[in-house]
Amino acid sequence: MAEAPSGLRILLHQHVKERAPVHVSSHADRDRVLEVFRNVILKTEPPENFALQAVQEAIKPQRQTVLVQDENQSLENALRALLQELVSAAVQSGERTMQYGQSIDDGENIRGQIPRLLDIVLYLCERGHVEGGMIFQLLEDLTEMSTMKDCKEVFAYIESKQDILGKQELFGRGKLVMLRTCNQLLRRLSKANDVVFCGRILMFLAHFFPLSERSAVNIKGVFNTSNETKYEKDAPVGVAVDFNFYKTFWSLQEHFSNPASTTLAPSKWQKFASNLRVVLDTFEAQPLGDDNGNVNNLEQEEATFSIKYLTSSKLMGLELKDPSFRRHILLQCLILFDYLKAPGKNDKDGPLESMKEEIKTCEERVKKLLEIIPPKGKEFLESIEHILEREKNWVWWKRDGCPAFEKQAIEKKIGQDGTKKRKPRWRLGNKELSQLWKWADQNPNALTDPQRVHMPSVAKYWKPLADDMDDSAGIEAEFHHKNNRVYCWKGLRFSARQDLEGFSRFTDHGIEGVVPPELLPPDVRSKFHAKPSEKTKRAKKEEVKVAAAQSEDNQVAMPVAETDGGGNGTELEDGVAPMDSDAAAVEESQKQSPEMDSGHEAGQSEAETEAEAENRSDIKVEAVTGAVREVDPDTDPNPLSKDSHGGDRENP
Amino acid sequence: MPEMARRGGGGGGGGGGGDARNWDEEGYRKSILRERELHYRTVFRTAFAPSLNPNPETLIVASSDGSLASYSISACISSVTQLMHFNRKIDEKPVPDFLLVEPLSVIQGHKGPAYDLKFYHVGEEYLLLSCGDDGRIRGWKWTEELNSDLSMGMQGNDLKPLLDLVNPQHEGPWGALSPIPENNAIAVNEQEGSIYSAAGDACAYCWDVETRKRKMVFRGHSDYLHCITARKSSNQIITGSEDGTTRIWDCRSGSCTRIIYPEKNRKLKEHSWVSSVAIDSSESWLACGTGSGLSVWSLLSCECIFSSDSCAPVQDLLFQDNQVLTVGSEPVLTRFGIYGVVLSQIKCAPQSAFSVSLHPSGVVAVGGYGGLVDVISEFGSHLCTFCCQGMD
């Protein structure tokens, strides 16, 4: 037996070469196919070792690996015949179909012939050598030929191959056949006795078909009105029972089985609502104790699961004491309410306002009742609520026309041109922040760029105000720069940093005093700067000299000193100002210093220096800040020491 | 006017609705009066008539107009069902409009209200005993009463009572006689041939049915008696009184064997009363309904088993197996377990109920204010609810 394949293979190759186009009668063909596969299913190796060769040998296909239409058909027919043969052989020998031909040779468990045949065909289908629907056809045949007992094993086989059968290419070919097979099986099974098998089939279907498969959906929302609950219409003789209640109670089922009719006619709804109220009253009046629904009770019920409760009036009393019976009824109510509350196809179909109100109250009562029914009522209600919530999603899904859940198509589209469109990720929160962060890297010349916005010189800055101060210009107060608070504030800060002398004039002359005198026309200037005291002229002159010599240093050092004293009073803003702005200022002042100095020196006059001197002494009176006082020549006559002094102060 | 239209038929030919030409002033007056009477009528006692049928057949109602009326339950059910939904719809109304039902038969039992009725079994016959405000105990042959096919009340008065017992008047100084004390409740003991009555003069009386004589007087309570029940196994009676005590009496000696204070452990200073007593079928448990609730005692150990504080006074109670059914001044029928757990509370029609009675099949009848009787099935559903028409 082991030799056979190699021999056959040689034969096969020769055949293929020689006889590809040759046609023989179909009977002869079929017999050959049968013969080949009869041998092949006896092999124990995995199908990939020989399956394709077997096909080639049996069919002698025109193309090496893929069969054409006719060839497929003849192979399928032959295989179906073989399957039938095997099944009948199994029946005759009294073996189970799936185990027929099974031998336990060499301590090795060899599978039955039919599963092996199926394996081979499945392999061929999976690889695309033969038409994909073939395996489904064989499975359908097999289930139809088998008894229910055997079908369980066949189905177990199907379940075990679910992954392969569910592959896209196979699924497309065979889903309808598979659905038919399963439905056929379900039809043959008893709903009451083969619950487990039915469940298996349903589970399989649920896994096999995509979630959004519409074929099993009750698209129109038709109710199974044939599920009628019959109950006694006439009171029984000789039994004490509240027959009205009995009828009221069971009449609810009519509404449950056909909820649509309940909504249509208001009178029907009224009847239902009043009947339900009677039932709920009764349930509420007699809550079930713990002893009525202990765990044993429930376990027993699981064992004796029944689909429908019996409606005999004699059982009514017992049923009312049964917690799970109550749960069923109350759950039915909740399901009905859910249906009633759901909006219809058009808004007009929805429940009326008054009805909504009634539904709401009833629902609350029902939920309360469910909660108090003994074994784990709260948990039960919670899970029911959860399930009903999920159910709502399905209702909406159905209302939206059962859209597919797979979103692949859309995702693909994004993927195609998504490379460019992909949202960039900002290192720092958003685009602006990120840009700011990267600004320095991207613009290395920013600082040296002559076009960049500079901090203006003090003179330049005050120019507009100086122009306004010229009375001949006749600027109205409204537009006068001295009344522009922002301008003034900025200017003051500016001066405080770069022109301390000018800044100090603020105390006496207000904002206009800060304007550098050289900018002002002589008459205006005299107004602010004409008060220098003559007596100190000489002494000041000396000082000025020193100051002028030191002016460059002074300007550099100034910010440091200010930063130093930043903690105090008026200089607070500067202290708070970020370091680089300070650095920028330093840089600025350094850059500007030649110009400034020249301007300073050029425009320096007696009056100016005197004013300076006077103001210096004024500073003391004002006692602005420690830092400023440090500069005061009275306490520290040598301005040169100021620098070192400032440095000292920094150190501790 | 709407009253008229509604009740016109019963008011003796009140006539054509709004037609002023044939205005029947008399009929209108009568109908108004009737309406009022009906509204303030109270059912003091309901009882299921004994029968072989396992279903409750006939219900006897003693009400405040002194009438004893019997109603067919099946007839009530069939007439009520037509209106059931109608009634349910206006459930929220404080006093729903209940159906007036014609009695099978009615007799004028007493002058003034009839307070209690009992069946007394003699041989093949049943004697219907009733007592009332006029201090009489009267007995009728049940079959006769039932078969007296009467046209609304007139003939009822003709029916002669088989038994007529009158409470004694107390003699004061100079031969002054007190009024006849009323009978609030009766109990029977067929083996002894005795009828026990709880009277308004703080005494209980024992009457011999054969001789129609007073056999025994039980004196001891300090206030009038509300209720009485017979403990046949030990030939005792148990009485409950306005003085707040329950006493157990020995019928042979007429002496009080035990005094139970259902309210004793209560801190409340205010005076309470015992409105109802009941013993279970094994005669070892005693339930006392008081002004503030219910207390259940073991007669063997004479210990209080439980004492339940309901806000409403209990007005009647009975044992059903090992459960206690109580009604009181609120429109609910409460079912207690023997250890004091409230098993269920069923809403019932009368705003205040004075009587609860039980049929062996589990059907319960509750009667009370407004002449209303609510028959509740063993499921807790309302079998039928009706308003007693009573005497004219």
Side-chain angles (χ1 to χ4, degrees):
Chain A
M1 205 166 76
E3 260 83 319
S6 53
L8 279 172
R9 190 188 300 157
I10 297 157
L11 209 68
L12 178 75
H13 284 289
Q14 287 164 353
H15 273 304
V16 170
K17 273 168 200 158
E18 296 164 9
R19 307 182 36 179
V22 178
H23 286 273
V24 201
S25 79
S26 62
H27 267 295
D29 262 350
R30 197 174 123 167
D31 288 343
R32 191 179 61 246
V33 174
L34 283 178
E35 197 50 46
V36 170
F37 273 90
R38 248 179 236 136
N39 289 329
V40 149
I41 56 173
L42 297 176
K43 294 184 189 182
T44 51
E45 321 161 45
E48 51 265 36
N49 295 352
F50 55 84
L52 184 55
Q53 293 148 25
V55 171
Q56 285 164 347
E57 180 192 343
I59 299 288
K60 307 186 173 56
Q62 294 168 12
R63 282 151 71 193
Q64 276 285 328
T65 53
V66 183
L67 299 187
V68 295
Q69 192 63 46
D70 288 351
E71 294 162 350
N72 259 320
Q73 197 55 55
S74 58
L75 179 65
E76 187 178 318
N77 289 342
L79 289 179
R80 287 175 78 175
L82 176 62
L83 186 68
Q84 203 175 339
E85 198 177 278
L86 288 172
V87 172
S88 58
V91 171
Q92 268 165 15
S93 70
E95 281 182 72
R96 310 285 294 273
T97 42
M98 288 303 267
Q99 278 141 28
Y100 175 68
Q102 203 174 45
S103 53
I104 311 170
D105 288 342
D106 318 324
E108 188 186 358
N109 201 349
I110 300 167
R111 307 183 61 194
Q113 290 184 4
I114 292 174
R116 261 179 284 159
L117 175 65
L118 293 173
D119 277 346
I120 292 163
V121 179
L122 184 61
Y123 168 76
L124 291 169
C125 290
E126 189 192 353
R127 290 304 176 88
H129 298 315
V130 301
E131 201 266 325
M134 203 180 287
I135 179 68
F136 294 99
Q137 191 57 57
L138 289 183
L139 286 171
E140 189 188 12
D141 282 1
L142 187 57
T143 52
E144 278 174 4
M145 283 186 285
S146 307
T147 59
M148 226 52 250
K149 211 172 166 192
D150 287 330
C151 275
K152 266 184 201 171
E153 285 170 24
V154 176
F155 199 78
Y157 177 83
I158 295 176
E159 282 172 327
S160 69
K161 301 295 179 193
Q162 187 181 330
D163 291 345
I164 302 170
L165 292 173
K167 277 186 178 171
Q168 202 54 48
E169 53 281 9
L170 286 187
F171 174 77
R173 307 292 309 175
K175 64 174 177 183
L176 292 180
V177 181
M178 187 47 90
L179 184 62
R180 196 167 60 212
T181 312
C182 289
N183 281 336
Q184 210 53 251
L185 273 175
L186 284 175
R187 205 165 300 154
R188 284 165 67 187
L189 289 167
S190 150
K191 260 184 201 163
N193 296 331
D194 301 306
V195 188
V196 176
F197 193 20
C198 283
R200 266 171 69 190
I201 296 173
L202 290 174
M203 291 280 282
F204 171 77
L205 283 175
H207 285 127
F208 189 64
F209 284 93
L211 199 55
S212 54
E213 174 70 30
R214 291 169 57 129
S215 63
V217 176
N218 182 0
I219 297 279
K220 282 185 189 166
V222 185
F223 293 101
N224 180 15
T225 47
S226 62
N227 180 12
E228 207 179 320
T229 306
K230 291 185 184 119
Y231 55 92
E232 294 159 37
K233 302 284 179 196
D234 301 306
V237 188
V239 181
V241 76
D242 182 355
F243 201 71
N244 283 322
F245 179 75
Y246 169 83
K247 278 201 287 193
T248 308
F249 183 84
W250 285 110
S251 72
L252 293 182
Q253 295 299 327
E254 289 157 23
H255 300 272
F256 292 144
S257 84
N258 191 5
S261 73
T262 307
T263 38
L264 285 179
S267 63
K268 265 202 153 176
W269 162 254
Q270 285 306 335
K271 189 167 175 240
F272 169 76
S274 65
N275 284 354
L276 181 64
R277 245 170 274 147
V278 171
V279 172
L280 292 184
D281 280 343
T282 309
F283 281 179
E284 269 168 11
Q286 292 179 303
L288 294 171
D290 279 326
D291 50 330
N292 283 330
N294 49 22
V295 186
N296 286 337
N297 216 337
L298 275 193
E299 269 171 10
Q300 272 174 11
E301 252 157 50
E302 268 165 36
T304 58
F305 170 82
S306 64
I307 285 165
K308 257 176 121 90
Y309 278 95
L310 301 173
T311 59
S312 163
S313 57
K314 288 175 198 163
L315 293 172
M316 190 85 233
L318 290 173
E319 280 172 337
L320 286 176
K321 283 179 197 149
D322 176 2
S324 84
F325 179 80
R326 273 196 193 188
R327 277 183 177 171
H328 275 93
I329 302 297
L330 295 173
L331 180 55
Q332 279 183 312
C333 294
L334 286 184
I335 292 171
L336 178 74
F337 292 152
D338 239 37
Y339 166 78
L340 294 178
K341 280 193 299 182
K345 284 269 188 285
N346 34 1
D347 295 332
K348 235 173 67 186
D349 288 357
L352 302 168
E353 273 310 310
S354 60
M355 210 169 127
K356 270 185 191 163
E357 206 52 38
E358 278 180 281
I359 291 174
K360 215 181 144 197
T361 50
C362 282
E363 194 178 356
E364 273 162 19
R365 286 181 73 185
V366 168
K367 284 186 174 171
K368 251 181 218 149
L369 277 170
L370 270 176
E371 216 170 1
I372 56 168
I373 291 178
K376 298 184 177 170
K378 241 187 183 130
E379 285 91 335
F380 182 79
L381 179 64
E382 270 167 23
S383 20
I384 289 300
E385 276 175 335
H386 180 70
I387 291 166
L388 289 176
E389 198 57 42
R390 298 287 297 266
E391 202 54 35
K392 261 180 213 155
N393 297 334
W394 286 109
V395 169
W396 281 102
W397 171 76
K398 210 167 96 174
R399 228 190 117 181
D400 294 344
C402 314
F405 291 103
E406 290 87 4
K407 305 279 186 196
Q408 285 163 345
I410 303 161
E411 271 170 14
K412 250 180 205 163
K413 261 185 203 163
I414 290 173
Q416 277 162 8
D417 48 0
T419 40
K420 282 169 210 163
K421 275 192 177 175
R422 225 182 65 201
K423 249 189 171 179
R425 293 194 52 191
W426 307 113
R427 246 187 78 196
L428 284 169
N430 58 32
K431 195 177 167 188
E432 282 70 29
L433 273 178
S434 204
Q435 258 178 4
L436 276 176
W437 186 253
K438 285 189 284 186
W439 180 255
D441 295 339
Q442 287 168 354
N443 302 283
N445 303 325
L447 289 178
T448 53
D449 186 3
Q451 295 298 313
R452 67 171 280 215
V453 182
H454 290 290
M455 195 187 278
S457 67
V458 175
K460 243 189 207 165
Y461 186 84
W462 287 120
K463 190 81 170 71
L465 180 56
D467 291 346
D468 290 353
M469 281 162 73
D470 189 352
D471 289 336
S472 60
I475 299 295
E476 289 165 41
E478 198 183 334
F479 302 107
H480 202 287
H481 271 86
K482 72 175 174 190
N483 293 329
N484 184 339
R485 293 172 66 189
V486 175
Y487 174 82
C488 293
W489 180 77
K490 276 162 104 180
L492 280 174
R493 273 195 70 170
F494 207 41
S495 292
R497 216 171 256 217
Q498 295 186 19
D499 179 17
L500 195 58
E501 290 170 21
F503 180 63
S504 62
R505 283 197 293 274
F506 180 69
T507 6
D508 286 345
H509 306 292
I511 190 68
E512 284 171 326
V514 184
V515 178
E518 64 268 23
L519 294 175
L520 300 173
D523 53 326
V524 183
R525 194 193 313 176
S526 62
K527 212 158 109 197
F528 298 103
H529 303 275
K531 285 184 193 164
S533 46
E534 296 293 323
K535 45 184 178 181
T536 52
K537 218 179 203 174
R538 256 189 64 102
K540 293 293 149 154
K541 227 173 190 174
E542 266 181 5
E543 259 187 44
V544 166
K545 263 186 205 162
V546 179
Q550 219 249 316
S551 72
E552 199 170 2
D553 269 7
N554 199 355
Q555 282 186 349
V556 179
M558 204 60 86
V560 179
E562 273 165 25
T563 318
D564 197 25
N568 303 11
T570 49
E571 300 298 326
L572 187 66
E573 287 105 5
D574 263 13
V576 173
M579 275 314 284
D580 34 343
S581 83
D582 261 5
V586 172
E587 195 184 274
E588 204 92 331
S589 54
Q590 270 174 340
K591 273 176 72 181
Q592 287 172 2
S593 55
E595 181 188 290
M596 277 273 281
D597 279 355
S598 63
H600 212 88
E601 245 144 4
Q604 202 141 38
S605 67
E606 285 275 307
E608 239 185 293
T609 43
E610 271 156 16
E612 249 177 88
E614 198 193 4
N615 277 314
R616 276 189 192 172
S617 54
D618 280 346
I619 292 170
K620 196 178 166 189
V621 179
E622 207 187 1
V624 185
T625 66
V628 173
R629 210 177 298 151
E630 222 65 73
V631 195
D632 197 302
D634 289 350
T635 48
D636 190 359
N638 184 6
L640 279 171
S641 72
K642 178 179 63 184
D643 242 11
S644 61
H645 202 107
D648 279 346
R649 275 176 48 91
E650 253 173 335
N651 283 338
Chain B
M1 278 308 257
E3 309 267 295
M4 181 64 199
R6 199 144 35 108
R7 306 280 183 212
D19 191 353
R21 285 168 302 180
N22 302 325
W23 181 247
D24 180 359
E25 183 71 24
E26 202 51 36
Y28 177 64
R29 258 180 217 179
K30 251 180 144 180
S31 74
I32 296 272
L33 280 175
R34 224 177 109 72
E35 180 80 9
R36 288 281 152 81
E37 261 173 39
L38 208 63
H39 205 261
Y40 296 108
R41 176 170 303 158
T42 303
V43 171
F44 282 117
R45 180 62 57 192
T46 54
F48 289 99
S51 81
L52 297 172
N53 191 329
N55 285 334
E57 239 175 359
T58 319
L59 190 70
I60 323 290
V61 175
S63 47
S64 56
D65 60 353
S67 68
L68 307 172
S70 58
Y71 295 87
S72 155
I73 287 180
S74 56
C76 289
I77 290 172
S78 56
S79 53
V80 165
T81 39
Q82 295 149 12
L83 275 174
M84 192 178 79
H85 301 303
F86 167 72
N87 282 338
R88 283 286 144 192
K89 236 191 282 179
I90 52 161
D91 222 6
E92 283 74 27
K93 254 176 78 173
V95 184
D97 223 356
F98 288 104
L99 186 78
L100 266 177
V101 171
E102 295 236 338
L104 285 178
S105 65
V106 59
I107 39 176
Q108 181 68 56
H110 297 271
K111 289 198 181 89
Y115 287 133
D116 202 358
L117 43 82
K118 281 270 161 18
F119 279 97
Y120 184 90
H121 193 183
V122 254
E124 304 284 293
E125 287 281 315
Y126 277 100
L127 207 59
L128 174 63
L129 299 174
S130 70
C131 69
D133 205 41
D134 56 2
R136 288 167 186 274
I137 300 170
R138 284 175 158 169
W140 282 271
K141 261 196 177 156
W142 166 235
T143 40
E144 248 176 60
E145 201 250 312
L146 191 66
N147 295 333
S148 61
D149 187 22
L150 22 98
S151 60
M152 275 315 298
M154 287 313 288
Q155 287 176 28
N157 292 329
D158 296 347
L159 198 68
K160 282 273 177 287
L162 214 67
L163 192 75
D164 201 348
L165 311 169
V166 190
N167 276 348
Q169 287 167 290
H170 291 270
E171 212 168 308
W174 301 291
L177 285 178
S178 74
I180 302 170
E182 82 278 9
N183 277 326
N184 287 320
I186 47 176
V188 294
N189 186 346
E190 280 109 342
Q191 288 133 3
E192 303 284 323
S194 310
I195 302 172
Y196 305 97
S197 64
D201 56 359
C203 297
Y205 298 97
C206 172
W207 305 81
D208 191 275
V209 178
E210 292 300 318
T211 61
R212 296 166 190 199
K213 291 269 153 52
R214 236 179 10 255
K215 285 199 290 193
M216 193 75 78
V217 179
F218 305 92
R219 285 181 218 276
H221 279 294
S222 58
D223 211 333
Y224 65 88
L225 303 187
H226 275 288
C227 51
I228 189 163
T229 189
R231 194 184 178 200
K232 291 161 192 167
S233 57
S234 52
N235 200 9
Q236 286 176 325
I237 57 166
I238 301 165
T239 56
S241 159
E242 177 72 11
D243 64 11
T245 60
T246 299
R247 286 177 190 240
I248 303 176
W249 310 82
D250 183 53
C251 294
R252 275 175 287 260
S253 64
S255 60
C256 175
T257 56
R258 177 161 278 128
I259 304 177
I260 291 168
Y261 298 91
E263 301 278 306
K264 200 182 179 185
N265 51 357
R266 207 173 299 280
K267 303 266 184 330
L268 278 172
K269 288 278 184 334
E270 91 190 66
H271 182 67
S272 188
W273 64 93
V274 179
S275 63
S276 48
V277 288
I279 53 174
D280 75 319
S281 52
S282 69
E283 304 199 326
S284 53
W285 302 91
L286 168 74
C288 303
T290 67
S292 55
L294 165 75
S295 71
V296 172
W297 297 68
S298 161
L299 283 176
L300 303 175
S301 62
C302 229
E303 272 174 13
C304 182
I305 304 301
F306 78 88
S307 177
S308 139
D309 246 340
S310 60
C311 36
V314 169
Q315 287 168 164
D316 197 13
L317 52 80
L318 55 80
F319 270 96
Q320 180 181 16
D321 299 331
N322 56 356
Q323 297 171 348
V324 185
L325 300 180
T326 69
V327 292
S329 62
E330 50 182 3
V332 288
L333 168 70
T334 311
R335 189 183 291 267
F336 287 92
I338 195 68
Y339 294 111
V341 191
V342 176
L343 295 177
S344 71
Q345 285 204 306
I346 300 169
K347 286 201 178 68
C348 53
Q351 287 301 305
S352 176
F354 289 100
S355 152
V356 56
S357 47
L358 178 72
H359 189 268
S361 69
V363 175
V364 172
V366 177
Y369 267 167
L372 292 177
V373 175
D374 201 345
V375 184
I376 296 165
S377 78
E378 67 276 27
F379 307 145
S381 56
H382 294 266
L383 210 52
C384 60
T385 304
F386 60 90
C387 181
C388 298
Q389 201 154 13
M391 305 290 292
D392 245 329

